[in-house]
Amino acid sequence: MSRILADLPDDDIKWLDQRAAEQGKSRASVLREAVASFKAQSDRSGSRDWIKRGAGYWKDRDDIGDGVEYQRAIREDRTPYEDL
């Protein structure tokens, strides 16, 4: 395990010490857990697996209709761009 030196505002140090005392842990332990949690959250949010999992969910639904047809229908009353 490597050691690091980080500058933190005094208010953050006070908060960190308070959290550590509440949990009965060291400041370093709380920091390690925070970094691990942040890392896990960042890994999930950066992943695009949800796109693959969700692709095609509605492909067999007959009650929805075609999205392009819907867009054209709601825009029928608009002035064409060329006429502006």
Side-chain angles (χ1 to χ4, degrees):
M1 186 176 306
S2 298
R3 295 180 64 107
I4 66 166
L5 177 65
D7 295 325
L8 297 174
D10 291 338
D11 289 343
D12 290 348
I13 296 292
K14 289 177 186 175
W15 178 86
L16 187 60
D17 287 341
Q18 183 179 359
R19 291 286 295 193
E22 290 170 0
Q23 296 177 11
K25 299 177 181 179
S26 68
R27 181 192 295 174
S29 176
V30 174
L31 277 172
R32 282 190 293 270
E33 290 175 3
V35 169
S37 176
F38 181 73
K39 181 180 173 186
Q41 182 181 12
S42 295
D43 289 346
R44 279 194 310 264
S45 65
S47 173
R48 294 190 176 260
D49 289 340
W50 62 272
I51 294 174
K52 292 178 185 174
R53 288 192 316 265
Y57 272 176
W58 292 7
K59 68 180 177 185
D60 297 324
R61 289 189 53 184
D62 298 328
D63 60 321
I64 297 174
D66 183 32
V68 175
E69 289 177 14
Y70 172 76
Q71 290 176 25
R72 288 182 179 142
I74 64 171
R75 295 176 180 157
E76 282 181 353
D77 63 336
R78 295 184 183 173
T79 305
Y81 181 76
E82 297 83 25
D83 296 345
L84 293 177

